Amino acid sequence: MKREAKTSNWRERASTLQLRTEAFIDGKYQPAASGETFVCINPATGKSIGQIAACSSRDVDVAVASARRAFEDGHWSRMAPGSRKKILLRFSELIRKHREELALTETLDMGKPISDSLKIDIPGAARCIAWYAEAIDKVYDEIAPTPHDTLALITREPVGVVGAIVPWNFPLLMASWKLGPALATGNSVVLKPSEKSPLTALRIAEIAIEAGLPEGVFNVVPGFGHTAGEALALHMDVDCIAFTGSTRIGRRMLEYSGRSNMKRIWLECGGKSPNIVMADVADLERAAKAAAMGIFFNQGEMCSAASRLLVHESIRDEMLDRIVAIGESMAPGDPLDPATKLGAIVDQAQMNTVLGYIESGRKGGANLRSGGRRVREESGGFFVEPTVFDGVQMDMRIAREEVFGPVLSALTFKSLNEAVKMANDVMYGLAAAVWTRDLATAHRVAKSIRAGTVFVNCYDADDITVPFGGFKQSGNGRDKSLHALHKYTELKTTWIDLS
Ligand code: NAD
Ligand code: MN
């Protein structure tokens, strides 16, 4: 009863929610110059929740010009770090204050469970902004050990106009991982949210102004990748692109840079992360839970998803039985139900991609242990069951390609060396995990896996204090932690002759 009451509360609030649907440029909401819009779909119902300004290169030009003007006038870029800190802390506080509205917006826009939006996405975004705010008046520059009659200062300056292009799986959180360090270091930002999830980015633009961010410092241009995204990445007056998205489009960012002004390109791309469970795992139940959450959390729409389970053959059945049981207890549900653990896939196209991979697994000879179907079709939404394949071989597509859905591929190994070889045998290198009681095994695996993060006896441990990003074709540079500040600053040497 109680739960139903809560779900209906969220539904009621959804029906009266005021959404921001226009571009935010130079401190104001405005329609696209062309007047064009695109439809925003709630993936839990398949129904429209709004028409969003479809920005093109004309809008991007205006937004970049505004960002440049704001950068040059120095109100933000040359503001004392302690003052920027105050404004960003207020920004973070206001995000927290609007937590429920933003969480609801995120859930309606991209289908994730309301409990996750409330507990993870929105507080995570607020914490990220606050963390960089707190950090920025505590980082010092350097003086080089040059000869006595010289002084060489090594300082960092904001890079200028940052274009941020982000995906739909954690819309506000991924945007915040760019906004936090980029704004704290004094840059202006033009944010291009995913066309599948533009709403929270549009809403926080006015919240930032309310917090005291000068107009033009933060602009949001919703639109498609091949229009707004391409215009931003090709723009001659954008100094840096901070991209999170697929490896295929990430590669294109590098081309755009080469074809335009050699802007800095930072890429957070896809993954096919191996989760290695050794025969000496201390707690099989915990490992199974983490393996299941590692692939089913956020409908499997996770760059760091534990999408490949590499399990020692001696414990395969025990491990898989447990994962299957957890998967079966996570049937997709209404994202507005606070008890729902698995929501809707972001849109029909992505659902079809996921179902296509499931089909390819079946046809390729993998063994479907559970799930595999679209469900809740009567809702009009796009829901896929938690799905587990075993008997997967490394030459299958479901062993090598990123599905970006709740689909686990289980492979077995006999020796540690074989596991490490399989782990490294993909083009990605975002995350990995090893479960073992043996300290030497843990360290050996951690050292031999080419990935940005290696978890030992856990999965998806997460904190703003640690860098996150990929080796190989999972990208370059790192989001989060103080290391992210480097992406948004240029290093300058100032030589002074004292003789
Ligand atoms: P995507 O690459 O399709 O799109 C990402 C962004 O790029 C969107 O805003 C999109 O509109 C834009 N875009 C698309 N085509 C473009 C073009 N030609 N020019 C300029 N911009 C263009 O990715 P997606 O489907 O939105 O997100 C899923 C992907 O994101 C997965 O591969 C996932 O692994 C990755 N991801 C990575 C991380 C990470 O931190 N490494 C985090 C989250 C998601
Ligand atoms: Mn949407």
Side-chain angles (χ1 to χ4, degrees), residues 39-43 49 108-111 195-199 346:
V39 63
C40 182
I41 299 280
N42 174 355
I49 48 173
L108 292 174
D109 202 354
M110 63 70 68
E195 61 278 15
K196 302 184 185 191
S197 61
L199 294 174
V346 71

Side-chain angles (χ1 to χ4, degrees), residues 337-394:
D337 180 342
T340 291
K341 295 206 163 57
L342 202 115
I345 303 291
V346 71
D347 66 1
Q348 186 159 19
Q350 182 63 20
M351 177 185 69
N352 289 339
T353 301
V354 173
L355 293 173
Y357 273 111
I358 292 172
E359 194 48 34
S360 102
R362 266 207 198 104
K363 284 209 181 115
N367 173 27
L368 181 66
R369 289 282 299 254
S370 71
R373 292 171 310 168
R374 176 180 185 184
V375 290
R376 294 175 58 85
E377 217 172 320
E378 71 290 351
S379 66
F382 317 116
F383 297 87
V384 176
E385 293 176 303
T387 298
V388 178
F389 279 107
D390 78 357
V392 176
Q393 303 299 323
M394 271 314 291

Side-chain angles (χ1 to χ4, degrees), residues 165-169 174 177 192-195 223-226 229-230 233 243-247 249 252-253 256 268-271 302-303 402 404 430 468 474 479:
I165 300 180
V166 298
W168 46 262
N169 60 337
M174 293 303 104
W177 287 6
K192 210 296 280 172
S194 168
E195 61 278 15
F224 293 98
H226 62 272
E230 181 172 298
F243 172 85
T244 300
S246 62
T247 290
I249 302 298
R252 215 172 280 182
M253 295 296 145
Y256 292 142
E268 297 282 355
C269 298
M302 291 269 292
C303 51
E402 186 181 46
F404 227 57
L430 192 54
F468 183 82
S474 288
D479 278 335

